[in-house]
Amino acid sequence: MNYPKYFREQLEQLREEGNYRVFADLERQCGAFPSAFSHAETGPEKVTVWCSNDYLGMGQNPNVLAAMHRAIDNCGAGAGGTRNISGTTHEHVLLERELADLHGKEAALLFTSGYVSNWAALGTLASRIPGITVLSDELNHASMIEGIRHSRCQKRIWKHNDLEDLEKQLLDLPANAPKLIAFESVYSMDGDIAPIAEICDLADRYGAMTYLDEVHAVGLYGPRGGGIAEREGLMERLTVIEGTLGKAFGVVGGYIAASYDLVDFIRSFASGFIFTTALPPAVAAGAAASICHLKQSDKERYLHQQRVREVRDRLDALGIPHTKNPSHIIPVMVGDPVKCRFISDVLMRDYGIYIQPINYPTVPKGTERLRITPSPVHSPEDVDRLVSALGDLWTQCQLARKPIAAQ
Ligand code: PLP
């Protein structure tokens, strides 16, 4: 095989489809979020970031930064080992306690990312429980899909957020067979929210465990930032709650929270937990400070929701179509990968606004979009500039607008 030719052709195909990924080379400006410098070919240019998952700006929160600085000064740079072999520092232990408390569970376990936590926890549960069937929502994140696939367990894919289909599939399985329902609370691309209580009802009726990914909800919802399950008083009904430290908490890392025995089981059997170096203590300290802050402070959540409402109202006033949903994610649908990339490029080049185009395979072909994530660190002037730039571009590209009554 001509390997170099193969790689070139595959990449060429991606380019032709408009799905080739180009990363913005950014330098975030701590203390001035959402501002960043974009290292363009023509030299650094100041841009406003409108697509970050640092939803609350906690990546520049003074408490978080102070905790990280302190931990670096006290413990040095890295953890120095896997959790099993010298890498469990006190910062990890404290963070796991903080996480268990956040979700009202007996224990929590850290991983190097949310992706790894899903892959390792689902993969371990599904491969180690004899005869288990995993029932997975069809729009679950790649990390959940990969974990389930890796386990080689029996699986059933149920229609997105469709309780009838889930029940039909549960009915189809032997009553005594072990089952695990895996789903998310806030779906990250459409921003819709799962009917968690009803899924728990089905789980109870059919003897299934539940695994809830709250990656796009932790820090953001619930009186202490425990996520949608906390907001709805459902945390104790879920077998496993999974989350990330890399989005609303502003740092990096992932975790599960569950019963002591389940967590101990994953700790003891998950290769994605056992055979990798622990997160740096400073990361654990920063994450703990972030969680601790958001448990006590509602200000960030309040401003976040307010900013989201403002952006939606302003887009509506201009007839710029965006998908309605009950969360903080604003998907502005374009429906074409080339146009999506073009709009994103012009926003960056002419308006200093950075919104990464979301193309296949992150979303299905034909549903390409700009995914806007307003945050408390966006000012009213930032909102003015964003909305006015989108208005210009919708005219320039002759994109369809929605009459206000039809929104
Ligand atoms: N779960 C969902 C639903 C996600 O959207 C993501 C990442 O974007 C992850 C898990 C992975 O989390 P992390 O970015 O911490 O690896």
Side-chain angles (χ1 to χ4, degrees), residues 95-126:
L95 174 54
E96 284 172 343
R97 274 187 209 150
E98 195 72 72
L99 287 164
D101 173 73
L102 177 66
H103 293 293
K105 298 287 183 197
E106 288 172 1
L109 191 68
L110 278 171
F111 297 83
T112 45
S113 72
Y115 187 104
V116 174
S117 60
N118 274 334
W119 181 82
L122 279 170
T124 304
L125 289 171

Side-chain angles (χ1 to χ4, degrees), residues 53 113-115 118 141 143 184 188 213 215-216 242 244 246-247 253:
N53 282 341
S113 72
Y115 187 104
N118 274 334
H141 188 255
S143 53
E184 300 179 20
S188 69
D213 174 317
V215 158
H216 292 277
E242 182 271 345
T244 184
K247 300 191 197 292

Side-chain angles (χ1 to χ4, degrees), residues 67 78 160 200 222 227 250 273 337 385:
H160 177 54
C200 290
F273 172 80
R385 278 197 298 274

Side-chain angles (χ1 to χ4, degrees), residues 102 217-233 294-295 297-298 301:
L102 177 66
V218 287
L220 301 174
Y221 299 93
R224 298 200 310 158
I228 301 288
E230 188 200 20
R231 185 184 74 180
E232 297 179 3
L294 290 173
K295 274 180 183 170
S297 168
D298 236 359
R301 282 186 284 279

Side-chain angles (χ1 to χ4, degrees), residues 244-294:
T244 184
L245 305 169
K247 300 191 197 292
F249 293 130
V251 194
V252 71
Y255 65 90
I256 56 163
S259 68
Y260 178 80
D261 285 341
L262 191 147
V263 165
D264 206 23
F265 181 83
I266 303 292
R267 187 184 73 86
S268 304
F269 290 113
S271 85
F273 172 80
I274 298 170
F275 296 106
T276 187
T277 299
L279 286 170
V283 167
S290 183
I291 294 162
C292 186
H293 178 91
L294 290 173

